[in-house]
């Protein structure tokens, strides 16, 4: 935990308010775009409070906390470069238009040890298991290889072409499939 603090960070987050204006089925998407533009103008030109405009126009809840890599990359670039209090122009998505207001940038924080303790123990166990497993496979391979070559009698070796003997030494466990 102390040796790898970067692995135990909450990650960059933002807190946003949002207004969602859906594109209604069987209606012209331009109607939704017009409503989104009206809402945006009320906020930016008429200085109406964002929550008031959201209550009048939005058809969905505010997004709230957003973590990096949670949204489409182009939208993430827009939102994570806003300053608190800034409002985006209407942003079109496949199902409607969004207007966002950045409330707060939330800096990454260290995740408490008691929260990640089980994950750390599991990671250490898996690393040790993998090392031991690979070592066991290597030793088993060597054992099988040596045992098979030892079990070949002199007569068997004399019957085998020289190339087959060289191949047998290099093949180890696969050798049993040939005999």
């Amino acid at each position: 935990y102390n040796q790898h603090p970067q692995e135990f960070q909450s990650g960059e987050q933002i807190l946003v308010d949002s207004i969602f204006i859906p594109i209604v089925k069987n209606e012209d998407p331009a109607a939704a775009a017009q409503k989104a533009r009206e809402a945006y103008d009320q906020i930016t030109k008429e200085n109406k409070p964002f929550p008031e405009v959201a209550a009048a126009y939005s058809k969905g809840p505010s997004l709230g906390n957003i973590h990096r890599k949670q949204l489409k990359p182009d939208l993430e670039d827009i939102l994570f470069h806003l300053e608190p209090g800034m409002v985006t122009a209407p942003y079109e998505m496949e199902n409607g238009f969004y207007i966002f207001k950045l409330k707060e940038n939330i800096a990454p924080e260290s995740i408490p040890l008691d929260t990640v303790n089980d994950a750390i123990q599991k990671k250490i166990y898996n690393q040790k298991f993998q090392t031991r497993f690979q070592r066991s496979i290597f030793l088993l391979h060597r054992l099988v290889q040596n045992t098979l070559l030892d079990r070949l009698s002199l007569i068997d070796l004399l019957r085998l072409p020289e190339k087959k003997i060289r191949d047998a030494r290099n093949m180890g466990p696969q050798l049993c499939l040939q005999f």
Side-chain angles (χ1 to χ4, degrees), residues 28-39:
D28 185 10
Q34 179 59 36
K35 282 184 185 177
R37 177 56 62 190
E38 288 171 15

Side-chain angles (χ1 to χ4, degrees), residues 19-175:
I19 297 172
F20 174 62
I21 299 165
I23 296 174
V24 180
K25 262 188 182 176
N26 301 326
E27 285 190 21
D28 185 10
Q34 179 59 36
K35 282 184 185 177
R37 177 56 62 190
E38 288 171 15
Y40 178 72
D41 287 345
Q42 285 185 17
I43 296 164
T44 59
K45 293 180 181 174
E46 299 174 26
N47 294 321
K48 286 193 176 178
F50 195 94
E52 183 180 312
V53 176
Y57 284 89
S58 189
K59 302 298 182 206
S62 187
L63 290 183
N65 275 18
I66 298 172
H67 296 263
R68 277 268 187 208
K69 305 206 186 298
Q70 193 175 357
L71 300 172
K72 293 167 57 173
D74 61 327
L75 178 56
E76 185 177 283
D77 283 344
I78 294 168
L79 295 179
F80 277 85
H81 286 95
L82 293 175
E83 294 294 325
M86 290 177 76
V87 176
T88 66
Y91 181 87
E92 184 175 2
M93 295 186 80
E94 56 277 350
N95 58 346
F97 293 84
Y98 281 90
I99 301 169
F100 299 97
K101 178 181 180 180
L102 181 66
K103 290 177 77 174
E104 180 182 355
N105 287 310
I106 303 170
E109 328 180 309
S110 293
I111 300 171
L113 178 59
D114 60 338
T115 304
V116 293
N117 193 37
D118 288 344
I120 292 170
Q121 287 180 358
K122 189 174 190 176
K123 185 175 183 175
I124 291 169
Y125 173 82
N126 286 339
Q127 288 172 343
K128 287 181 178 181
F129 176 81
Q130 188 67 26
T131 301
R132 288 180 181 154
F133 180 74
Q134 288 174 348
R135 176 79 177 138
S136 297
I137 293 297
F138 172 77
L139 292 173
L140 184 60
H141 177 267
R142 298 295 294 172
L143 178 67
V144 169
Q145 186 178 30
N146 291 338
T147 303
L148 287 174
L149 290 176
D150 289 347
R151 293 182 72 196
L152 292 175
S153 69
L154 184 57
I155 296 169
D156 291 331
L157 287 173
L158 291 174
R159 285 189 207 154
L160 289 174
E162 187 176 321
K163 182 183 179 325
K164 196 122 179 162
I165 295 170
R166 271 196 314 270
D167 291 346
R169 285 193 178 116
N170 294 330
M171 290 178 63
Q174 296 171 0
L175 182 64

